[in-house]
Amino acid sequence: MKKTIITTALALCVAVFSVNATPATSTIENSTSEYFFKVNSFCVSIAKGDFDTVQKLIERGADVNERSNGMTPAMYAAKFNRTEILNLLISKGANLKLRCSNKSYTAAKYAELHGADDAATIIKETLKKKKKK
């Protein structure tokens, strides 16, 4: 009799928990789609490392200092260690001293936080050159 009561109680607990459970995919889908709508196509191309697209967008008038999701294009290039794109952005007038509107980080700080040593070196050298001028 005890076994029957304990088994029934356990089955009831499992049934209650499974009825109240929500699928994890719905949470993931919602948060992912919200994220992508906040980042413009220019910065997505930078994050992916698509140099040709970034170059074409700049030629068509994309602002190299326009924020997307609080970050500048140089911050995305630094975060993802896209050195070729970072050099292009700098040559087109990217301001490396701007701070992220969300966390007040600079492109150099994003490079440091994400272990993007090559991007950090480029930023450091560029800022030294500009300081000397």
Side-chain angles (χ1 to χ4, degrees):
M1 183 75 175
K2 280 186 177 181
K3 287 183 181 180
T4 306
I5 293 173
I6 292 173
T7 305
T8 305
L10 287 174
L12 182 61
C13 288
V14 169
V16 169
F17 285 120
S18 64
V19 167
N20 291 328
T22 58
T25 55
S26 66
T27 305
I28 292 169
E29 288 171 5
N30 290 339
S31 64
T32 304
S33 62
E34 289 174 13
Y35 176 75
F36 284 112
F37 286 112
K38 292 181 182 179
V39 180
N40 65 28
S41 59
F42 184 50
C43 291
V44 170
S45 297
I46 292 168
K48 288 182 176 182
D50 188 350
F51 181 84
D52 293 333
T53 301
V54 172
Q55 191 172 28
K56 287 176 187 174
L57 288 170
I58 291 172
E59 289 171 2
R60 292 183 180 165
D63 183 356
V64 295
N65 290 308
E66 183 180 352
R67 295 175 193 272
S68 179
N69 199 25
M71 294 170 57
T72 65
M75 291 174 192
Y76 282 99
K79 179 179 179 177
F80 294 101
N81 204 31
R82 307 297 187 200
T83 56
E84 188 177 18
I85 294 172
L86 182 59
N87 283 322
L88 174 65
L89 293 169
I90 292 168
S91 72
K92 298 297 182 180
N95 184 347
L96 299 175
K97 293 183 181 182
L98 291 176
R99 294 187 173 273
C100 177
S101 60
N102 301 342
K103 300 176 185 173
S104 296
Y105 294 160
T106 62
K109 184 66 175 178
Y110 276 105
E112 176 190 330
L113 289 172
H114 295 277
D117 297 331
D118 297 334
T121 301
I122 291 169
I123 294 167
K124 190 175 183 180
E125 289 174 3
T126 302
L127 290 174
K128 277 184 185 179
K129 288 177 188 176
K130 288 184 178 186
K131 194 174 184 179
K132 288 181 181 180
K133 288 183 180 181

